[in-house]
Amino acid sequence: MEWKNIYRGILMGISDLIPGVSGGTIAFILGIYDRLLESISGFFSRDWKKQLGFLVPLGMGIVITLLLFSRFIEFLLDNHYEATQFFFMGLILGVLPYIMKQADVKKNFTARHLIILLVIGAALASMAFIQTDENVAPITELSVPTFFLLFFSGWIASMAMLLPGISGSFILLLIGVYSTAINALSTLNLPVVMAIGAGVIVGFIVSSKAISYLLEHFTYVTYAAIIGLILGSLFVVFPGFSADPMTLATSLVTFMVGLLFTLWFSSPKKTDITSEHNVEA
């Protein structure tokens, strides 16, 4: 068992609780993104036992975080919203140098890749202007319609979780079930958690195979899309500048902490993911 994956799962779990922050981005920061995709895909194959050593500790960290930190995240967002969002902006921005190095942007990107990057980044950034109702009453009891709503919400959100730059929580917020998910975790409403969780599992199966295929056959196009998603997510997470000097100063400090944290984690990684794939021109 790779027990150090517990702390990695904790970090991914925290990010998955925050609308606008992607668990896939955290996996990139920690240098386990490619391994994560391979392990999820491999778990649903004949070699599933080989993946347990990687996935079980990671899953334990994620589950522990979702159960223990859901109320803490609610507290931070309610009482220190700007500082919390700036911290995650730092995390997101700090991963870009690592991904650009992995893709060797100067050597491999053409005008086509830049156009893809800009279009996808602009499309995601436009979501910052979508008004979401964060005060929707949570679903606490299941019926057939609400089960399918939560199942497909979990499916769509989990596909977003694996893509750097797209937040599964933000997708839940757009659909209108984010408050339901947070409430279910904080109150241990198991039927609701299981309905969303079933959708998440199906989404992981589908999206991990799809992303692995794209990285293998369309490596630099996929990297261009990922960089665009990360840049676009900055606009989604950005809370604006506070008029209060203390809040602004605190936000700048948390931004730098997040940025330095990401750079510290990503800089030692030597493995070049693109070398593991058949790369398109």
Side-chain angles (χ1 to χ4, degrees), residues 122-197:
L124 183 58
S126 67
M127 292 187 180
F129 301 99
I130 297 176
Q131 297 297 316
T132 57
D133 186 358
E134 300 182 36
N135 298 311
V136 175
I139 297 170
T140 57
E141 297 183 4
L142 287 183
S143 62
V144 173
T146 56
F147 171 81
F148 282 106
L149 169 64
L150 296 177
F151 176 84
F152 285 110
S153 296
W155 183 335
I156 296 170
S158 68
M159 295 179 73
M161 288 176 195
L162 285 181
L163 280 173
I166 301 183
S167 163
S169 295
F170 184 68
I171 297 299
L172 292 178
L173 194 61
L174 291 178
I175 298 173
V177 299
Y178 178 71
S179 61
T180 294
I182 291 295
N183 177 266
L185 288 170
S186 60
T187 61
L188 288 179
N189 188 329
L190 293 182
V192 173
V193 170
M194 291 175 67
I196 299 174

Side-chain angles (χ1 to χ4, degrees), residues 27-177:
F28 247 119
I29 293 171
L30 298 174
I32 61 170
Y33 185 71
D34 205 53
R35 177 75 187 281
L36 176 64
L37 295 179
E38 292 175 359
S39 295
I40 294 175
S41 296
F43 184 73
F44 300 96
S45 67
R46 296 178 182 177
D47 299 325
W48 64 274
K49 290 184 180 180
K50 296 180 180 179
Q51 315 304 329
L52 292 179
F54 180 84
L55 290 176
V56 168
L58 192 72
M60 288 174 59
I62 292 174
V63 171
I64 289 171
T65 302
L66 293 179
L67 293 177
L68 297 182
F69 283 84
S70 56
R71 291 184 180 179
F72 179 61
I73 294 299
E74 281 185 299
F75 171 81
L76 288 178
L77 291 175
D78 288 341
N79 297 278
H80 306 283
Y81 178 75
E82 291 86 355
T84 303
Q85 293 296 89
F86 268 94
F87 173 74
F88 280 100
M89 283 181 65
L91 287 180
I92 294 168
L93 187 62
V95 79
L96 279 176
Y98 174 66
I99 297 179
M100 292 175 71
K101 182 180 178 181
Q102 292 289 87
D104 199 353
V105 169
K106 291 183 179 180
K107 177 181 177 181
N108 298 311
F109 273 30
T110 64
R112 176 182 58 149
H113 299 102
L114 293 177
I115 291 173
I116 291 172
L117 186 159
L118 292 173
V119 169
I120 291 180
L124 183 58
S126 67
M127 292 187 180
F129 301 99
I130 297 176
Q131 297 297 316
T132 57
D133 186 358
E134 300 182 36
N135 298 311
V136 175
I139 297 170
T140 57
E141 297 183 4
L142 287 183
S143 62
V144 173
T146 56
F147 171 81
F148 282 106
L149 169 64
L150 296 177
F151 176 84
F152 285 110
S153 296
W155 183 335
I156 296 170
S158 68
M159 295 179 73
M161 288 176 195
L162 285 181
L163 280 173
I166 301 183
S167 163
S169 295
F170 184 68
I171 297 299
L172 292 178
L173 194 61
L174 291 178
I175 298 173
V177 299

Side-chain angles (χ1 to χ4, degrees), residues 22 24-31 33 91-106 108-109 117 163-165 215 219-220 222-231 262-263 266-267 269 271-274:
S22 167
T25 300
I26 302 299
F28 247 119
I29 293 171
L30 298 174
Y33 185 71
L91 287 180
I92 294 168
L93 187 62
V95 79
L96 279 176
Y98 174 66
I99 297 179
M100 292 175 71
K101 182 180 178 181
Q102 292 289 87
D104 199 353
V105 169
K106 291 183 179 180
N108 298 311
F109 273 30
L117 186 159
L163 280 173
L215 277 171
T219 305
Y220 298 125
T222 305
Y223 269 117
I226 288 172
I227 293 172
L229 290 171
I230 291 174
L231 289 173
T262 301
L263 294 175
S266 60
S267 59
K269 308 300 183 297
T271 301
D272 186 353
I273 293 176
T274 59

